[in-house]
Amino acid sequence: MSPTVELTQRTLAVRGFLGFVPFRRLPGSNVPTGHGIYVVIRTDASPPSFLPTSPAGHLKGRDPSVTADQLGDAWVEGATVVYIGKAAGRDGLKQRLADYRRHGTGLLAGHWGGRYIWQLADSDALLVAWRPMVEGDPGEAEQCLIDEFKEVHGGALPFANLRNNVRKAPETDASID
């Protein structure tokens, strides 16, 4: 097993991630339509500033805003990656990232996960990158990347990943005694 290294723009590019564009440039980017995983990175190493309210769209009447204390508690000092996500099912990367971008602009979109990024005062400078997947399960790839992040950062999840999507091991047939 190779040693775990910090997930940065450079290390992610070596692993096949593409794009590294601000959300506002996504519509003109060549985002693939197939399945894959994506990351949001913050290249500024200075401590973040948080907006008092989120500009993101409300979903089913829920306000995406949280307190500065909640954001501060979720912040992972020294991390470049602030969110890790997947595009699976019928929606591919292009649609999933379009929904994420639309949510951040205040429009109704089906992307509630990762909403903390929109309360970063510099969210317009965040970069999004994606890695298309022809084979394999995007959910497993997402979890592997989250696990790697946690290993580097003492068990912490990326800033805007609010829950660990640990998949249950498949049930095995056990004989009854």
Side-chain angles (χ1 to χ4, degrees):
M1 181 178 204
S2 62
T4 305
V5 297
E6 177 63 41
L7 300 173
T8 64
Q9 184 171 345
R10 183 173 174 267
T11 61
L12 291 165
V14 167
R15 295 177 186 200
F17 279 83
L18 307 166
F20 299 99
V21 297
F23 276 93
R24 71 181 173 280
R25 288 194 25 223
L26 272 176
S29 299
N30 193 19
V31 181
T33 57
H35 294 170
I37 58 175
Y38 58 95
V39 295
V40 179
I41 61 174
R42 182 174 183 261
T43 58
D44 185 349
S46 67
S49 295
F50 303 119
L51 300 175
T53 58
S54 176
H58 291 222
L59 184 65
K60 298 180 181 176
R62 294 183 294 172
D63 184 344
S65 302
V66 296
T67 67
D69 286 343
Q70 287 173 285
L71 296 168
D73 288 346
W75 188 252
V76 181
E77 194 65 40
T80 302
V81 170
V82 293
Y83 184 70
I84 299 170
K86 68 179 179 301
R90 63 187 171 144
D91 291 340
L93 285 162
K94 186 175 189 112
Q95 184 60 52
R96 189 70 177 146
L97 290 173
D99 288 347
Y100 199 7
R101 181 188 64 78
R102 284 174 41 85
H103 182 244
T105 63
L107 298 173
L108 182 60
H111 199 298
W112 189 249
R115 65 189 175 276
Y116 280 14
I117 70 163
W118 305 120
Q119 265 184 271
L120 289 168
D122 61 353
S123 66
D124 61 336
L126 298 175
L127 301 179
V128 62
W130 53 88
R131 189 180 81 203
M133 295 179 62
V134 177
E135 296 179 359
D137 178 4
E140 288 179 19
E142 174 196 37
Q143 188 60 54
C144 285
L145 204 56
I146 288 171
D147 290 345
E148 186 175 340
F149 181 97
K150 288 170 54 180
E151 188 176 320
V152 171
H153 295 284
L157 289 169
F159 168 67
N161 285 88
L162 304 184
R163 59 190 170 138
N164 196 3
N165 295 325
V166 175
R167 294 172 173 260
K168 290 182 183 177
E171 291 186 34
T172 57
D173 293 334
S175 60
I176 299 174
D177 291 276

